[in-house]
Amino acid sequence: MGSQIELGDIMLTFIEPHREGLAEYNRWYEHDHAYAAVSNAPGCFAYRRFVATAALKTLRYPADSAVVQPVEKGSFISLFWFEKDRVADVFDYSFGITPALIEAGRMNGDRDHVSTAIYKYLGGTGRGADPVPPEIALDHPYPGLAVLWVRPAEGVSVEELGEWCRQNLDGDVAAGKGGIGQVIDFEQRDFPNGMAPLTGRLRELVRCYFLDADPRELWSEELEGIGKAVEAGGKGRVELAVPFIPTVPGTKRYLDELW
């Protein structure tokens, strides 16, 4: 068997759109920006966007989140997958094209960044004996996503925290039980060329839970207790747990359900 695409790094951008001009912002982001500024870049091989409706926002925890206040802020999240060792290529393109996009009037500032940064791939747990590969997670039609920001305890590295989570929290996933399709772990890293993360650097683990059902069907039994399990293990604290469902590109679906 020959070589294959390998997931190396990702960009995660979690934003709150401004209410005024929402429809135009949504059209701009999904019809132009996500492609022109990022996914057209050499080395970017997958992209998907998810939404948190008002009903889904009620499931978030903890209320005293260090990631965002108020905890209901943040309606869209986009994930971009980059090939291993290609993150610099992606941002050479992105930084290079941005001035032309600004000059052409193809930028839109009608949003606030809750958490926008680059993360390196640490590992993951797939469902059962023949799991969907992490490289294909954004193309697989998962009907739900949960993203957890986990802060390590004092003296615990992000890599150690991720390994502990995979060994102690993912047993049912590995056994093919429950409704979680796969979990993928990431650690925030520096942008190339010295650019700072748009929302500040946190020493954190980000866990992306790709779900085989709507998050509301799984939250109470499979996801709500993760925060308590992490704290009980003494390795860290879940600073934010957020459920999402996929957007429906090319439509205004869910725009009237954000608040």
Side-chain angles (χ1 to χ4, degrees):
M1 182 184 296
S3 60
Q4 63 183 34
I5 289 283
E6 290 186 61
L7 177 61
D9 300 275
I10 73 166
M11 186 170 75
L12 178 156
T13 179
F14 181 29
I15 67 94
E16 178 71 350
H18 297 171
R19 299 192 186 203
E20 184 176 351
L22 173 61
E24 174 56 25
Y25 166 79
N26 187 67
R27 186 214 62 79
W28 163 79
Y29 188 90
E30 70 173 22
H31 188 74
D32 189 18
H33 185 65
Y35 297 108
V38 187
S39 62
N40 273 357
C44 180
F45 67 91
Y47 149 69
R48 199 172 186 191
R49 189 173 181 232
F50 299 83
V51 60
T53 62
L56 288 170
K57 289 174 183 176
T58 65
L59 302 177
R60 294 180 178 184
Y61 69 86
D64 61 341
S65 169
V67 176
V68 60
Q69 286 296 326
V71 74
E72 296 81 14
K73 186 177 181 181
S75 296
F76 291 101
I77 196 165
S78 294
L79 300 172
F80 298 86
W81 268 202
F82 304 154
E83 289 183 64
K84 186 177 180 180
D85 300 324
R86 299 293 303 275
V87 65
D89 294 335
V90 173
F91 283 93
D92 283 348
Y93 170 88
S94 185
F95 296 158
I97 198 68
T98 296
L101 295 175
I102 294 172
E103 180 68 21
R106 290 171 60 187
M107 296 296 286
N108 186 316
D110 292 341
R111 84 280 200 194
D112 299 318
H113 289 268
V114 175
S115 184
T116 295
I118 301 175
Y119 295 81
K120 67 178 181 180
Y121 170 62
L122 295 181
T125 304
R127 179 181 176 84
D130 188 22
V132 174
E135 288 80 7
I136 301 175
L138 297 185
D139 293 314
H140 187 79
Y142 289 112
L145 169 73
V147 182
L148 275 63
W149 284 258
V150 190
R151 186 75 56 84
E154 187 69 28
V156 178
S157 70
V158 173
E159 290 88 348
E160 181 183 351
L161 175 59
E163 182 66 26
W164 183 90
C165 288
R166 291 191 292 276
Q167 289 183 358
N168 292 274
L169 302 179
D170 298 350
D172 283 350
V173 180
K177 301 177 181 177
I180 297 172
Q182 67 173 305
V183 192
I184 311 179
D185 289 336
F186 303 97
E187 178 184 8
Q188 189 170 337
R189 55 158 292 168
D190 292 325
F191 274 83
N193 304 322
M195 178 182 174
L198 295 178
T199 51
R201 187 179 179 90
L202 295 175
R203 195 171 67 91
E204 65 191 9
L205 172 74
V206 164
R207 309 204 85 206
C208 291
Y209 289 75
F210 290 88
L211 310 177
D212 289 324
D214 186 296
R216 286 163 285 197
E217 298 177 22
L218 305 175
W219 199 255
S220 62
E221 292 189 7
E222 300 193 43
L223 295 158
E224 193 171 39
I226 293 174
K228 291 181 180 179
V230 171
E231 290 200 48
K235 295 296 184 180
R237 180 178 190 265
V238 172
E239 290 290 357
L240 184 63
V242 185
F244 299 93
I245 54 177
T247 60
V248 183
T251 75
K252 295 180 181 179
R253 184 78 180 273
Y254 304 120
L255 295 189
D256 60 348
E257 300 180 39
L258 301 185
W259 305 289

